[in-house]
Amino acid sequence: MVKFLPLKQAVAENLNNGDSVAFEGFTHLIPTAAAHEAIRQGFRDLTLIRMTPDLIYDQMIGMGMAKKIVFSYVGNPGVGLLRRARDAIENGFPRPIEVEEHSHAGMANAYEAGAAGLPCAVFRGYRGAGLAEVNPNIRSVTCPFTGEVLAAVPSIRPDVSFIHAQKADRKGNVLVEGIIGIQKEAVLAAKRAVVTVEEVVDTFDDLHPNLTVLPRWTIAAISVVPGGSHPSYAHGYYARDNAAYLEWDEIAADREKFQAWMKANVIEKGADDFAARVEHLRKAA
Amino acid sequence: MVKFLPLKQAVAENLNNGDSVAFEGFTHLIPTAAAHEAIRQGFRDLTLIRMTPDLIYDQMIGMGMAKKIVFSYVGNPGVGLLRRARDAIENGFPRPIEVEEHSHAGMANAYEAGAAGLPCAVFRGYRGAGLAEVNPNIRSVTCPFTGEVLAAVPSIRPDVSFIHAQKADRKGNVLVEGIIGIQKEAVLAAKRAVVTVEEVVDTFDDLHPNLTVLPRWTIAAISVVPGGSHPSYAHGYYARDNAAYLEWDEIAADREKFQAWMKANVIEKGADDFAARVEHLRKAA
Amino acid sequence: MSDNRTPLGFTPNEMMTIAASRALKNDDVCFVGIGAPSAACNVARLTHAPDITLIYESGTIGTAPDVLPLSIGDGELCETAVTTVAVPEMFRYWLQGGRISIGFLGAAQLDKFGNINTTVIGDYFHPKTRLPGGGGAPEIATSSQQVYITMAQSKRGMVEKIDFFTSFGHGEGGDHRKRLGIDTAGPTLLITDLAVWKPDPVSKEFTVVSLHPGVTRQQVQETCGWVVKFAEVLDETPAPSELELKTLRDLQARTKAAHEGTGKGKAA
Amino acid sequence: MSDNRTPLGFTPNEMMTIAASRALKNDDVCFVGIGAPSAACNVARLTHAPDITLIYESGTIGTAPDVLPLSIGDGELCETAVTTVAVPEMFRYWLQGGRISIGFLGAAQLDKFGNINTTVIGDYFHPKTRLPGGGGAPEIATSSQQVYITMAQSKRGMVEKIDFFTSFGHGEGGDHRKRLGIDTAGPTLLITDLAVWKPDPVSKEFTVVSLHPGVTRQQVQETCGWVVKFAEVLDETPAPSELELKTLRDLQARTKAAHEGTGKGKAA
């Protein structure tokens, strides 16, 4: 049953060295605060799963925390490449990293299958695509009615998933709205789910019945971290900090600049620092 | 592109003798007015698809319109059996009827696969179930990663789907809310979709972004039929007419009583008669 | 409605519903079949298990209806739910996903291994009576962590051999589930109007472990189509408490009023 | 912003975006890649195709942003959309379901048969440059009814042989798609900053059918890594109209202002 915990404790109780972990968010509601807490606690040998690894995985990879990355688009959204991830893949710095690469369709179906408790996802995909030749986890099944050969990928079932959401009610039910991405599936596919939220409200009684609400018993821990998805955005709360995405391109381009930035902005900071980072973005939301 | 049409014309333009057709609604928003219009137009040799065939399929079967029925629960919801369907299955009256029976999970997955453009659905189901022995459309595929044998059923792709929904905007986008059942999948799985709605509003600009809205270009025709799902209910508009469900048990029990009822309440009536049938139920909604 | 419809002050059906409600825990996530299971689950919610999560196959999760639904898709279920999802999601993420602790089913025909038939009486292709069929039951029976069954006893209903395996219980008994690769526990409890039954740990045959107040072994046997096994130590089911009875009767009275209220002035 | 950045009054990039926008029809359902495709799709919507349905892979269907999104998941896309769905639904019901008439892609590397590489430069397992990868493109390329591609010409980008088949175009040309069981049309249009290209009906090799105003065959060949085929009758692309240019420039100005506005006062 869900517990409301300070983020430090929520991360410590649910993440372990060697875990497979998804910090999900599809350009919206990216769980940056949770990722930074994981960086501060210094976990090692993680398998990082995410459709769109962006700044937070660039940071974790740059800090040497990842032994493997499972993804479908390893870019800085709207900006370009992820330079720490590139350094790891191209040069093995700061450590070699194993790569399992899919298409968005493959990852989305794999999360869906994970949430559905299935061992694999079946869909029409990867036709003529080079990934099918380099990723041994892209296989096929044959439709027993038409004979069509369909793609199959293993379902994604992380040890832990982290997401950021707009709000929880006092019982611990969680609302995600706007671009909901893959967050529901990431939570339901995981053995344990940790959610950071912008705020806690008394009840969800006035919500429309068909919104995306995760019942309290699907979540291990909730931490209240206003601004916790900066520099991405939280629909209804604050806008994206586009400047930070553009700046990241420069910061991550240089190994030393990267380390200095991480020390100043992550290692020596805490979850409480996020609220101030989105103050100037609240009007724009 | 969607057309706003009188129901008579919407049915005539989209339904044909011999079609496979789904009139979907999961205890809520049952498209009764559309079904009655199809009865008045006297279509033959239909393959009737629905998870929960209830009064409307009992009526269509009793009128001899169906050559086959595909279903997962052939009951009168909360009341008991469907006596016209029984008469057809047990006695071949008024004509023999072919039966393809699934579980709810099988049908739901088959609609989902139809909406997803797949030839078949793959899920964990029918384990130890007798249906797997009597329905040749229940087959299996083997997970290429774990070796687990999973159930497979053909996707459902009706020639036409009919649903009832709360409202359309002037452009022809359609909102379904409350218990949304399988309606979105029924529309997206079909070659053509016809929707009856309670009302038309100017715009959907104020709707929450994550509600179930079917874009106008997924729908062939919309007909405005207030009360069109009586005796089922329309969330936000009127309550279920439970008495009508209980009465049906008696009406359908007798072949002649059934014919007399159909003549008086369907054949000699029209879509315009539905509004009055829900007047006394509006307060209770 | 009288409080004294039997010499004991409650009816066998009331005892059945209340005994079933007691089996549910506050942290259960329960997939609720319509009829007797629905009443039991809501009595549990209104008495000792206020936080129980009730799920109906129409997509309503964490629902708390004030009256019992007539069908699994009543508006009341949606209005009081934590969230309402589409039916494919219900069966994929919530049932198949392994999130249901208790699947609660009724039965038209039941055998001693907890296999259920709600499909046909007679041959499938030439049925004597065509019943409604399985609906959600085939997968509820295999994907829920445990299955509870509730039904009123009768020789026609509790039979040596069911006509059709709508939902798989323990099959031929023993490790039959495991042999089919089904890793959930299956039927672990049967509550009838006369007794509480549990499967034998090895044979998996349902065995009477508790008789309801005033019920004799003979009555149980006379209303059951198989030779009944009784536990060595046989308990007596505690009679309904005042709170339990009042909760159930109030719920049923509210339900009756609500369902009649939507008719056209005719008796339902 | 000047209206006369080139002797012609518009830049090659503006011509590219506007030529691409003209290829879209009012009843198209367009799966929009970020960058140049996004600008072209929105110019179409703001000029001759007001009812075009724009879909971004973040789940936003029928969106009408006032400014160009920086990413495929900007809040503006959701706020102006007809509906916003989860990502698995986007890829299953909307793309795989065959509902997309035009998949609109950019490319890092392109070959003459419309095959695209956005994955790696060099060997996949020992890449010289690791690019972001395919994202939605592998299935956009095969599930959309047609694919339009837009990119600025360069010898590095338009190559004889791409390093990795991120998304399949016409493969080795001819009926290669059909041989793989892919029943969609694949790339039917390429719009660069210099020309409009269409595949040869038989060989499927991209062939220049129209040169943008002031562009020579030689310029096209000098910025392309393969030997360019030209159609026998070569059109000149109509120059941007005043309305088209104004629409595009206003859109880009609004976009620049909006994206800078969210920074901390620093230049983006």
Side-chain angles (χ1 to χ4, degrees):
Chain A
M1 200 50 73
V2 63
K3 295 191 278 189
F4 284 88
L5 294 176
L7 182 58
K8 194 172 177 178
Q9 197 178 337
V11 171
E13 282 191 10
N14 287 285
L15 187 58
N16 304 293
N17 289 333
D19 273 355
S20 66
V21 54
F23 291 81
E24 269 297 352
F26 201 79
T27 73
H28 174 216
L29 294 174
I30 294 170
T32 312
H36 284 190
E37 184 55 42
I39 292 169
R40 279 190 291 275
Q41 296 188 21
F43 292 97
R44 314 299 296 178
D45 295 326
L46 301 176
T47 292
L48 295 177
I49 303 165
R50 186 155 167 219
M51 293 185 67
T52 53
D54 63 354
L55 276 51
I56 57 174
Y57 278 17
D58 214 29
Q59 292 162 1
M60 295 170 91
I61 291 166
M63 298 297 280
M65 296 165 69
K67 73 168 178 208
K68 180 176 176 181
I69 181 167
V70 183
F71 69 94
S72 43
Y73 186 87
V74 61
N76 180 347
V79 178
L81 307 174
L82 288 178
R83 300 183 185 279
R84 292 297 92 226
R86 278 187 60 187
D87 210 4
I89 296 170
E90 294 169 15
N91 309 313
F93 181 89
R95 58 169 285 182
I97 188 170
E98 195 183 332
V99 161
E100 178 174 340
E101 184 171 4
H102 290 274
S103 65
H104 277 352
M107 291 282 281
N109 275 285
Y111 270 119
E112 200 276 347
L118 291 173
C120 64
V122 174
F123 64 108
R124 187 180 295 114
Y126 294 120
R127 292 181 296 174
L131 282 180
E133 284 162 33
V134 297
N135 180 347
N137 267 344
I138 298 172
R139 300 186 189 171
S140 67
V141 300
T142 301
C143 171
F145 302 98
T146 63
E148 182 178 351
V149 177
L150 297 162
V153 293
S155 62
I156 295 175
R157 313 195 74 168
D159 292 316
V160 204
S161 284
F162 290 89
I163 67 163
H164 186 74
Q166 273 95 347
K167 56 187 89 168
D169 69 11
R170 285 193 188 285
K171 291 179 179 172
N173 301 302
V174 165
L175 171 71
V176 185
E177 56 185 347
I179 289 179
I180 53 179
I182 196 78
Q183 279 96 314
K184 183 177 197 167
E185 287 75 18
V187 165
L188 296 182
K191 295 195 186 79
R192 304 178 295 281
V194 176
V195 183
T196 53
V197 296
E198 288 294 324
E199 63 172 331
V200 177
V201 297
D202 275 350
T203 76
F204 280 172
D205 290 351
D206 292 336
L207 289 187
H208 189 284
N210 300 129
L211 299 190
T212 303
V213 173
L214 290 157
R216 64 190 189 285
W217 44 273
T218 62
I219 296 162
I222 295 173
S223 301
V224 185
V225 186
S229 72
H230 176 270
S232 83
Y233 71 104
H235 190 106
Y237 289 81
Y238 47 87
R240 181 197 276 117
D241 190 347
N242 286 318
Y245 282 88
L246 293 163
E247 281 169 17
W248 184 252
D249 203 43
E250 277 180 49
I251 296 159
D254 183 272
R255 291 176 183 176
E256 276 157 37
K257 199 184 261 186
F258 165 76
Q259 283 294 345
W261 191 94
M262 292 300 290
K263 183 160 183 289
N265 293 282
V266 180
I267 304 299
E268 294 175 351
K269 290 291 196 300
D272 293 345
D273 292 301
F274 277 84
R277 291 175 189 165
V278 300
E279 257 332 301
H280 69 296
L281 301 161
R282 287 193 184 273
K283 272 173 298 188
Chain B
M1 200 52 71
V2 63
K3 295 191 278 189
F4 284 90
L5 294 176
L7 182 57
K8 194 171 175 179
Q9 197 179 338
V11 171
E13 282 190 9
N14 287 285
L15 188 59
N16 305 293
N17 290 333
D19 273 354
S20 66
V21 53
F23 292 81
E24 269 297 351
F26 202 78
T27 74
H28 174 216
L29 294 174
I30 293 170
T32 312
H36 283 190
E37 185 56 41
I39 292 170
R40 277 191 293 277
Q41 296 189 21
F43 292 97
R44 316 298 296 180
D45 296 326
L46 300 177
T47 293
L48 296 177
I49 303 166
R50 188 159 166 214
M51 293 186 66
T52 53
D54 63 353
L55 277 49
I56 56 173
Y57 278 17
D58 216 27
Q59 291 161 1
M60 295 170 91
I61 292 166
M63 298 298 279
M65 295 164 70
K67 74 169 178 207
K68 180 176 177 181
I69 181 168
V70 182
F71 70 95
S72 43
Y73 186 86
V74 60
N76 180 346
V79 177
L81 308 175
L82 287 178
R83 299 182 186 281
R84 292 298 90 223
R86 278 188 61 186
D87 210 2
I89 296 169
E90 295 170 14
N91 309 311
F93 181 90
R95 59 169 284 181
I97 188 169
E98 195 184 333
V99 161
E100 178 173 341
E101 185 171 3
H102 290 274
S103 65
H104 277 352
M107 291 281 284
N109 276 285
Y111 270 118
E112 200 275 347
L118 291 173
C120 65
V122 174
F123 63 108
R124 188 181 291 114
Y126 293 122
R127 292 182 296 175
L131 282 181
E133 286 162 32
V134 297
N135 180 348
N137 267 344
I138 298 171
R139 299 186 189 171
S140 67
V141 300
T142 301
C143 170
F145 303 98
T146 63
E148 180 178 351
V149 177
L150 297 161
V153 293
S155 62
I156 293 176
R157 314 196 75 168
D159 292 315
V160 204
S161 283
F162 291 88
I163 67 163
H164 186 74
Q166 276 96 345
K167 58 186 85 167
D169 69 11
R170 285 192 189 283
K171 291 180 178 169
N173 301 301
V174 165
L175 171 71
V176 185
E177 57 184 346
I179 290 180
I180 52 179
I182 196 79
Q183 278 96 313
K184 183 177 196 166
E185 287 74 18
V187 164
L188 296 182
K191 294 195 188 78
R192 303 179 293 281
V194 176
V195 183
T196 53
V197 295
E198 289 294 324
E199 63 173 331
V200 177
V201 298
D202 273 351
T203 76
F204 280 172
D205 289 352
D206 293 337
L207 289 187
H208 189 286
N210 300 131
L211 299 190
T212 303
V213 173
L214 290 157
R216 65 190 189 286
W217 43 274
T218 62
I219 296 163
I222 296 174
S223 301
V224 185
V225 186
S229 72
H230 176 271
S232 82
Y233 71 104
H235 191 106
Y237 289 83
Y238 48 87
R240 183 197 274 117
D241 190 347
N242 286 318
Y245 282 87
L246 295 162
E247 281 169 15
W248 183 253
D249 203 43
E250 277 179 50
I251 296 158
D254 182 272
R255 292 176 183 176
E256 277 158 33
K257 200 184 260 185
F258 165 75
Q259 284 294 345
W261 191 93
M262 291 300 290
K263 183 161 184 290
N265 294 283
V266 180
I267 304 298
E268 295 174 350
K269 290 289 197 299
D272 292 345
D273 291 301
F274 276 85
R277 291 174 189 164
V278 301
E279 256 332 301
H280 68 297
L281 301 160
R282 287 195 183 270
K283 273 173 298 191
Chain C
M1 204 178 287
S2 160
D3 277 2
N4 287 292
R5 275 167 290 180
T6 74
L8 293 163
F10 54 86
T11 69
N13 264 307
E14 287 173 336
M15 184 71 251
M16 173 171 74
T17 300
I18 287 164
S21 80
R22 291 173 185 157
L24 295 164
K25 298 188 301 296
N26 200 37
D27 60 355
D28 271 329
V29 176
C30 190
F31 207 101
V32 188
I34 211 66
S38 183
C41 291
N42 280 289
V43 168
R45 181 177 60 81
L46 294 165
T47 55
H48 66 284
D51 294 327
I52 190 170
T53 296
L54 303 185
I55 294 182
Y56 288 73
E57 64 193 13
S58 55
T60 51
I61 296 175
T63 184
D66 190 50
V67 303
L68 293 176
L70 184 70
S71 81
I72 45 73
D74 280 23
E76 171 95 1
L77 296 173
C78 174
E79 281 153 23
T80 62
V82 171
T83 184
T84 298
V85 302
V87 165
E89 179 180 325
M90 175 51 65
F91 283 96
R92 285 179 72 82
Y93 290 2
W94 301 91
L95 179 59
Q96 183 179 265
R99 272 168 259 280
I100 308 299
S101 64
I102 308 293
F104 215 137
L105 297 173
Q109 265 191 346
L110 178 78
D111 73 15
K112 62 186 167 193
F113 294 116
N115 304 298
I116 291 174
N117 171 25
T118 58
T119 303
V120 284
I121 304 300
D123 176 64
Y124 181 79
F125 293 103
H126 304 91
K128 221 170 82 183
T129 307
R130 173 65 227 199
L131 303 171
E139 283 74 22
I140 294 173
T142 51
S143 287
S144 306
Q145 288 161 36
Q146 299 181 59
V147 174
Y148 294 173
I149 302 167
T150 183
M151 68 185 294
Q153 291 201 197
S154 77
K155 278 205 187 258
R156 231 178 49 166
M158 298 171 78
V159 298
E160 186 64 38
K161 194 171 154 40
I162 58 176
D163 290 354
F164 191 85
F165 268 55
T166 305
S167 357
F168 193 80
H170 297 288
E172 298 166 359
D175 65 349
H176 198 171
R177 284 178 80 86
K178 194 174 284 178
R179 279 187 279 130
L180 294 185
I182 306 170
D183 55 2
T184 50
T188 54
L189 191 65
L190 164 64
I191 296 121
T192 68
D193 50 342
L194 303 181
V196 175
W197 310 55
K198 289 191 179 174
D200 177 88
V202 177
S203 75
K204 302 296 182 187
E205 177 175 341
F206 267 129
T207 306
V208 175
V209 296
S210 176
L211 292 171
H212 296 340
V215 173
T216 65
R217 292 178 181 231
Q218 195 185 344
Q219 281 174 290
V220 173
Q221 181 61 75
E222 280 171 353
T223 53
C224 182
W226 67 76
V227 178
V228 177
K229 291 222 168 112
F230 294 89
E232 288 188 18
V233 182
L234 209 54
D235 290 332
E236 179 175 295
T237 313
S241 71
E242 269 184 53
L243 173 67
E244 287 170 330
L245 261 186
K246 183 170 168 10
T247 302
L248 172 59
R249 288 173 184 175
D250 286 355
L251 180 64
Q252 287 174 330
R254 284 199 303 276
T255 300
K256 191 155 182 277
H259 290 179
E260 278 176 350
T262 58
K264 302 173 199 165
K266 297 184 188 175
Chain D
M1 203 177 287
S2 162
D3 278 3
N4 287 293
R5 276 168 289 179
T6 74
L8 292 163
F10 53 87
T11 68
N13 265 309
E14 287 173 335
M15 184 70 253
M16 172 170 74
T17 301
I18 287 166
S21 80
R22 291 176 186 155
L24 295 164
K25 296 188 303 296
N26 200 36
D27 62 354
D28 271 329
V29 176
C30 189
F31 207 100
V32 188
I34 211 66
S38 184
C41 291
N42 280 289
V43 169
R45 181 177 60 79
L46 293 166
T47 55
H48 66 283
D51 294 327
I52 191 170
T53 295
L54 304 184
I55 294 182
Y56 288 73
E57 65 194 14
S58 55
T60 50
I61 296 175
T63 184
D66 191 49
V67 303
L68 293 176
L70 184 69
S71 81
I72 45 72
D74 279 24
E76 170 95 0
L77 296 174
C78 174
E79 280 154 22
T80 62
V82 171
T83 185
T84 298
V85 303
V87 165
E89 179 181 323
M90 175 51 66
F91 282 96
R92 286 180 70 83
Y93 290 3
W94 301 91
L95 179 58
Q96 182 178 263
R99 271 168 259 280
I100 307 299
S101 63
I102 308 292
F104 215 137
L105 298 173
Q109 265 191 346
L110 177 78
D111 72 15
K112 63 184 165 193
F113 295 116
N115 303 297
I116 291 175
N117 172 26
T118 58
T119 302
V120 285
I121 305 299
D123 177 63
Y124 182 79
F125 293 103
H126 304 91
K128 221 170 81 183
T129 307
R130 174 66 227 199
L131 303 171
E139 283 75 21
I140 294 172
T142 51
S143 286
S144 306
Q145 289 160 35
Q146 299 181 60
V147 174
Y148 293 173
I149 302 168
T150 183
M151 68 186 295
Q153 290 200 198
S154 77
K155 278 206 189 257
R156 229 176 54 164
M158 296 171 80
V159 297
E160 185 67 37
K161 196 171 154 40
I162 59 177
D163 290 354
F164 191 85
F165 267 56
T166 305
S167 355
F168 192 80
H170 296 288
E172 299 165 359
D175 64 349
H176 199 172
R177 284 178 79 87
K178 194 175 281 177
R179 279 186 278 131
L180 294 186
I182 305 170
D183 55 2
T184 49
T188 54
L189 191 64
L190 165 63
I191 296 122
T192 68
D193 50 343
L194 302 181
V196 177
W197 310 55
K198 290 191 178 175
D200 177 88
V202 176
S203 74
K204 302 297 182 190
E205 177 175 341
F206 266 129
T207 306
V208 175
V209 296
S210 176
L211 293 172
H212 296 342
V215 173
T216 64
R217 291 178 184 230
Q218 195 184 344
Q219 281 175 291
V220 173
Q221 181 61 73
E222 280 171 353
T223 53
C224 181
W226 67 77
V227 178
V228 178
K229 290 220 169 115
F230 294 88
E232 289 189 18
V233 183
L234 209 52
D235 289 332
E236 178 175 297
T237 313
S241 71
E242 269 185 52
L243 173 67
E244 287 170 330
L245 262 186
K246 182 171 168 16
T247 303
L248 172 59
R249 288 174 182 174
D250 285 355
L251 181 64
Q252 286 172 332
R254 284 198 302 276
T255 300
K256 190 153 182 280
H259 290 180
E260 278 177 351
T262 59
K264 301 172 200 166
K266 296 185 190 177

